[in-house]
Amino acid sequence: MTRMFVDAWDPAYGASFEGGDSSDGPASPSSAQVDTDVEVPAAQWAPIDVAPGVRCPDVVFLVDGVRRNDAGLWTAEDDGMSYAGLAASYAAGVVRCDLGNGVAELVGARVGRGLFTASPSASDLQAGSVLYEVHRVSGTGEASKLPAAVQAPLTALEIDISGAARDGGSDGADLLVVDGPLRNRRQLPRTIGYVKTQQKQYLPAALTPVVTSLRPGQRTPVFQLGTVWGGWSWYLRLPGASGAPWSGIVRVECSPDLPAEAAVELAEISSAVLPRFASSAYKDPRAPQNLVPIAGLERRLRGLLGDSRVLHRALTLATARSRLCDFV
């Protein structure tokens, strides 16, 4: 008889994995070359418990960013051409968790606004008291591709506030957890990327049962991804999962610039640290993968973005005034 499980995630967020059913996990296979013999030979793969001697960092920093599309725009150029534009707000923040004292606090948050367009004539847009700085995008600037352009300045903001938070002092005995893949943040020291939604199947089919047999707190051996943004990676199961094969599974990664021994050390630390931040289904619709400090940070950052209706009206008035000035 087929076993059925209810995904703990709210269906409004999609699914914690992208697959045909919960037994298959991610349905889309990755074309990346994968080296599974990094920590142990592939033939010896098995779930790994938290090492008894692993030392947790004194401080864990968790960084995340949010973004919102405030308004879509169109330009009218002097030569008769027209370009799509996107007015967007974004924010990044850092939560500092003192594991010894059980204290978590927001230690940095910044908001950015941008006008993203391929228009050669567009300039900064003042909408009431809010300034949207122009970000020129390459190519023809199709409207459907503009939201992706927000990621670059958001990532830069995350890097800036991460460095500022660490400058506050932790004597190097810390860990930085980035919500999402590392991508171009891999130069940050003692940093791991935390991927809570599984869309690609990276491992060969013969090793998938190792992932689905993980118990809470266990991880897979470290493997290496040969992609443009690839690096060292491993899977980890968080506590509080529904019992479905891929429920509560996250993928963690670290910089490919690290030696294999350092990657294994970070994998051991992650399996000791991350499970304590797992969320509960009755509190979070994306439990257990949406870590508690990250969930609180996202709420705070969205509040900092301001009222979308007020900003949309300010943008409407600002563009109307600019057209009136051109007419006069």
Side-chain angles (χ1 to χ4, degrees):
M1 181 179 294
T2 301
R3 295 182 299 159
M4 301 293 290
F5 301 89
V6 174
D7 193 352
W9 276 39
D10 186 325
Y13 292 97
S16 57
F17 52 83
E18 299 293 338
D21 59 52
S22 59
S23 63
D24 294 334
S28 177
S30 171
S31 60
Q33 293 184 341
V34 181
D35 181 3
T36 56
D37 296 325
V38 174
E39 187 173 357
V40 297
Q44 300 176 18
W45 264 46
I48 298 176
D49 291 306
V50 178
V54 63
R55 183 183 182 277
C56 291
D58 300 327
V59 173
V60 176
F61 294 100
L62 297 100
V63 59
D64 193 18
V66 299
R67 57 187 181 181
R68 185 186 67 205
N69 299 337
D70 292 335
L73 303 95
W74 289 93
T75 69
E77 308 293 324
D78 291 339
D79 60 2
M81 292 290 291
S82 181
Y83 294 90
L86 174 66
S89 297
Y90 51 94
V94 180
V95 175
R96 181 183 188 274
C97 297
D98 185 332
L99 300 187
N101 296 316
V103 176
E105 59 179 336
L106 180 68
V107 292
R110 297 181 193 171
V111 176
R113 319 271 186 186
L115 171 60
F116 299 85
T117 181
S119 167
S121 64
S123 59
D124 296 350
L125 179 60
Q126 187 73 45
S129 61
V130 174
L131 177 67
Y132 288 83
E133 296 183 357
V134 68
H135 291 262
R136 207 89 53 195
V137 302
S138 59
T140 57
E142 299 97 319
S144 61
K145 295 183 179 180
L146 293 178
V150 184
Q151 186 59 47
L154 174 55
T155 298
L157 198 60
E158 291 179 357
I159 292 173
D160 287 345
I161 63 171
S162 298
R166 278 179 153 172
D167 289 341
S170 60
D171 299 325
D174 64 16
L175 176 70
L176 177 66
V177 180
V178 173
D179 190 52
L182 282 180
R183 294 194 175 94
N184 55 353
R185 294 168 288 195
R186 64 189 193 182
Q187 78 279 10
L188 298 174
R190 304 180 305 283
T191 300
I192 57 176
Y194 177 81
V195 184
K196 56 179 175 277
T197 303
Q198 310 310 314
Q199 298 177 333
K200 295 289 185 180
Q201 178 69 272
Y202 291 105
L203 296 176
L207 295 180
T208 298
V210 178
V211 180
T212 57
S213 65
L214 294 175
R215 296 195 304 272
Q218 289 184 325
R219 65 173 177 88
T220 67
V222 173
F223 56 95
Q224 187 175 30
L225 294 174
T227 62
V228 175
W229 296 112
W232 310 108
S233 190
W234 57 95
Y235 289 101
L236 169 69
R237 191 187 295 273
L238 300 176
S242 67
W246 279 84
S247 178
I249 296 291
V250 298
R251 186 175 65 82
V252 191
E253 60 183 31
C254 63
S255 172
D257 301 330
L258 294 173
E261 296 78 11
V264 171
E265 181 180 358
L266 283 174
E268 292 177 343
I269 292 173
S270 72
S271 61
V273 170
L274 294 179
R276 68 176 63 191
F277 295 133
S279 53
S280 301
Y282 73 93
K283 289 184 178 180
D284 195 308
R286 289 177 288 172
Q289 289 97 318
N290 202 37
L291 303 180
V292 172
I294 292 293
L297 177 58
E298 287 177 342
R299 288 193 295 270
R300 178 70 68 88
L301 293 177
R302 289 194 180 98
L304 294 177
L305 293 182
D307 192 314
S308 60
R309 296 168 298 180
V310 172
L311 288 170
H312 190 278
R313 178 171 175 77
L315 286 163
T316 302
L317 292 174
T319 53
R321 290 194 189 99
S322 68
R323 293 195 303 271
L324 180 60
C325 290
D326 290 341
F327 178 77
V328 174

